[in-house]
């Protein structure tokens, strides 16, 4: 499987899990793997993403400069990435009925293997940010950034109503 097809495979995996975690719930689950805009560094790329989000997704559109979001990044280990995926893949009451143990571990591992094939050699960072006052981003979210040689991706999980 080539690189582009494997990124699409990861996106399909995330789309399916978002549907399963949004089913039978009043929450909208959003699970995405997206390429970040080109920028000199990771925090700037993340800032460009939220600025674009404010102008093109939030209604009404607003100019919200990146510093208002107070974006920070920190190294993210494999165990933390697995924990984030486990939490989001089984976040809804509907998905909580999935058998614990091996079944859940296999689902998370299958996704992480596809992610490894797509983003092998990338460094992994947890992303923290705050919503600017008066702005709605999501009820809660987790974001993980991947970076290698100026190429960056964002793994985004969120619930909104």
């Amino acid at each position: 499987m080539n690189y582009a097809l494997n990124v699409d495979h990861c996106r399909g995996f995330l789309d399916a899990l978002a549907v399963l975690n949004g089913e039978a719930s009043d929450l909208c689950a959003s699970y995405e793997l997206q390429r970040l805009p080109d920028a000199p560094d990771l925090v700037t790329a993340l800032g460009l993403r939220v600025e674009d989000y404010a102008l093109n997704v939030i209604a009404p559109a607003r100019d919200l400069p990146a510093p208002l979001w107070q974006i920070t990044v920190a190294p993210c280990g494999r165990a933390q990435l697995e924990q984030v995926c486990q939490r989001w893949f089984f976040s809804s009451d509907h998905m909580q009925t999935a058998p614990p143990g091996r079944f859940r571990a296999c689902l998370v591992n299958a996704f992480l293997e596809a992610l490894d094939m797509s983003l092998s050699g990338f460094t992994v960072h947890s992303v923290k940010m705050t919503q600017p006052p008066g702005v709605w981003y999501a009820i809660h979210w987790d974001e993980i950034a991947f970076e290698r040689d100026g190429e960056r991706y964002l793994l985004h999980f969120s619930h909104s109503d």
Side-chain angles (χ1 to χ4, degrees), residues 16 18 56 83 87 105 110 117 121 140 150:
N56 296 302
Q83 190 175 54
R87 180 173 52 249
M117 289 174 67
H140 54 287

Side-chain angles (χ1 to χ4, degrees), residues 4-69:
L5 287 176
N6 213 42
V7 168
D8 286 342
H9 174 77
C10 291
R11 289 178 178 142
F13 203 112
L14 292 169
D15 288 345
L17 284 163
V19 168
L20 289 169
N21 279 287
E23 187 174 309
S25 169
D26 62 347
L27 295 179
C28 175
S30 176
Y31 300 2
E32 302 172 21
L33 178 62
Q34 56 188 225
R35 191 168 199 279
L36 290 168
D38 291 333
D41 58 67
L42 179 57
V43 172
T44 302
L46 290 162
L48 290 171
R49 179 192 165 268
V50 293
E51 288 175 352
D52 181 70
Y53 181 88
L55 289 172
N56 296 302
V57 178
I58 294 175
R62 303 176 219 195
D63 181 21
L64 296 168
L68 293 176
W69 296 84

Side-chain angles (χ1 to χ4, degrees), residues 80-159:
Q80 183 181 356
L81 179 58
E82 287 177 21
Q83 190 175 54
V84 167
C85 290
Q86 180 80 236
R87 180 173 52 249
W88 285 95
F89 288 5
F90 303 99
S91 64
S92 69
D93 290 341
H94 177 71
M95 288 299 286
Q96 284 292 315
T97 63
R102 183 169 161 70
F103 174 81
R104 291 183 187 200
C106 285
L107 189 62
V108 170
N109 287 337
F111 174 72
L112 292 176
E113 285 176 15
L115 196 61
D116 287 343
M117 289 174 67
S118 299
L119 303 177
S120 176
F122 281 65
T123 57
V124 184
H125 309 270
S126 64
V127 178
K128 301 294 179 210
M129 66 181 184
T130 58
Q131 298 177 116
V135 174
W136 181 254
Y137 186 66
I139 294 171
H140 54 287
W141 66 87
D142 276 305
E143 294 180 322
I144 306 290
F146 300 84
E147 179 179 42
R148 180 184 71 193
D149 301 329
E151 187 175 5
R152 299 173 185 95
Y153 284 84
L154 182 68
L155 178 59
H156 167 88
F157 296 103
S158 67
H159 282 146

